[in-house]
Amino acid sequence: MNNILVPIGTSPNSSDTLQYAINFASNFGAKVFVMDVFTVTSGTGSLANVKEKVAKSSKEQLREVIDKVNTNNVELKIATYNGDIIDGLKEINKAEGIDLIIIAPRSNAIEEELYLGNTTGRIVKQTNIPTLIVPKGTEFKPIKKIMTAFGSGIVKRSRTLNPLIAIKDKFRASINLLLVKRPGYSEEDLQVNTALLDLSQNLTMTSHANTYLGVLEHFQSQNPDLLCVFRRKRGFFKKLWEKNTVLKSEFFVPIPVLILSVKKD
């Protein structure tokens, strides 16, 4: 894990998320890209001049956030982008190769009822970059226990598991698999990827209407430091992926959530 990206928004808690990312990155010797986006349209005065001024202001705001954290000898790089955040993420990923995005679940401008705000939801839904969602106020601590929950054991590309493997190896974490048999499951869904099985200490099977209910059933007994799930067309969050925001009533855990994207089912 070499390059970690932290999108910075208007939330006053941005420095907390960045500090978590820095402390996380220090364990891997990774660089942290601190990113902000802005929008300057062609109808805004002298485009080149305005864009330059806004870009300068954006960088100054990022430096203000950086000044609030302990860099812990981690190399920080500032990245700004004029346009949509998804386009910006894809561009920097193409140029640098981002291994992980670390982001808060929502901005302070979003209602307390929401777990995922619009920006975070779009990042998770519209990019294939592994994403670690860190709840507000979470202080970094070594990850020792990981619950990996899924409704299908099919993982066609083993490299999908790379972030999970890196975290397991670095912190010598134990991984417990939770396979939730949902209505309409197939026998193929019960055939767990061998690479995933090799990572784990045990596999628990349960039956529920959705994967989240399975997580709720076993969350307290397993007491994980990290929840790992897969985003796929018919996987975790199911219909929740149809929209960008996610209500806390639909999903909420008080620990970091690692979301790995499975492109094809």
Side-chain angles (χ1 to χ4, degrees), residues 56-73:
K56 182 180 179 181
S57 175
S58 179
K59 288 179 180 179
E60 288 174 352
Q61 290 176 4
L62 289 180
R63 290 191 180 98
E64 288 177 3
V65 174
I66 291 172
D67 285 343
K68 297 178 182 178
V69 301
N70 178 358
T71 60
N72 204 11
N73 294 319

Side-chain angles (χ1 to χ4, degrees), residues 1 52 68 105 123 128-129 140 145 172 179-180 225 242 245 250 262:
M1 194 173 297
E52 182 180 342
K68 297 178 182 178
I123 289 172
N128 291 308
I129 306 170
F140 174 80
K145 293 188 288 184
R172 298 181 180 179
L179 174 53
V180 183
D225 302 309
E242 295 175 4
T245 57
E250 296 171 318
V262 179

Side-chain angles (χ1 to χ4, degrees), residues 102-122:
I102 295 182
I103 194 169
R106 59 176 180 79
S107 75
N108 66 317
I110 303 298
E111 300 86 3
E112 283 296 326
E113 291 80 8
L114 290 180
Y115 171 69
L116 286 191
N118 184 65
T119 299
T120 303
R122 289 186 65 221

Side-chain angles (χ1 to χ4, degrees), residues 1-5 25 29-33 74-77 96:
M1 194 173 297
N2 299 312
N3 296 322
I4 294 172
L5 185 140
K31 297 176 186 174
V32 173
F33 291 82
V74 170
E75 182 180 353
L76 301 184
K77 291 197 169 186
E96 302 289 347

Side-chain angles (χ1 to χ4, degrees), residues 7-136:
I8 298 294
T10 58
S11 170
N13 302 301
S14 294
S15 59
D16 294 338
T17 304
L18 178 57
Q19 187 67 68
Y20 183 99
I22 289 170
N23 294 344
F24 179 92
S26 68
N27 289 275
F28 296 90
K31 297 176 186 174
V32 173
F33 291 82
V34 189
M35 182 181 184
D36 190 25
V37 296
F38 58 91
T39 303
V40 177
T41 62
S42 57
T44 312
S46 173
L47 180 60
N49 188 41
V50 172
K51 181 179 178 181
E52 182 180 342
K53 288 182 178 180
V54 175
K56 182 180 179 181
S57 175
S58 179
K59 288 179 180 179
E60 288 174 352
Q61 290 176 4
L62 289 180
R63 290 191 180 98
E64 288 177 3
V65 174
I66 291 172
D67 285 343
K68 297 178 182 178
V69 301
N70 178 358
T71 60
N72 204 11
N73 294 319
V74 170
E75 182 180 353
L76 301 184
K77 291 197 169 186
I78 288 178
T80 59
Y81 183 79
N82 177 28
D84 183 75
I85 188 169
I86 303 301
D87 294 333
L89 287 172
K90 290 179 178 179
E91 183 169 300
I92 193 172
N93 183 42
K94 184 178 180 180
E96 302 289 347
I98 300 302
D99 299 301
L100 184 69
I101 295 172
I102 295 182
I103 194 169
R106 59 176 180 79
S107 75
N108 66 317
I110 303 298
E111 300 86 3
E112 283 296 326
E113 291 80 8
L114 290 180
Y115 171 69
L116 286 191
N118 184 65
T119 299
T120 303
R122 289 186 65 221
I123 289 172
V124 170
K125 178 181 176 181
Q126 298 179 30
T127 77
N128 291 308
I129 306 170
T131 302
L132 183 62
I133 299 177
V134 180
K136 181 175 64 175

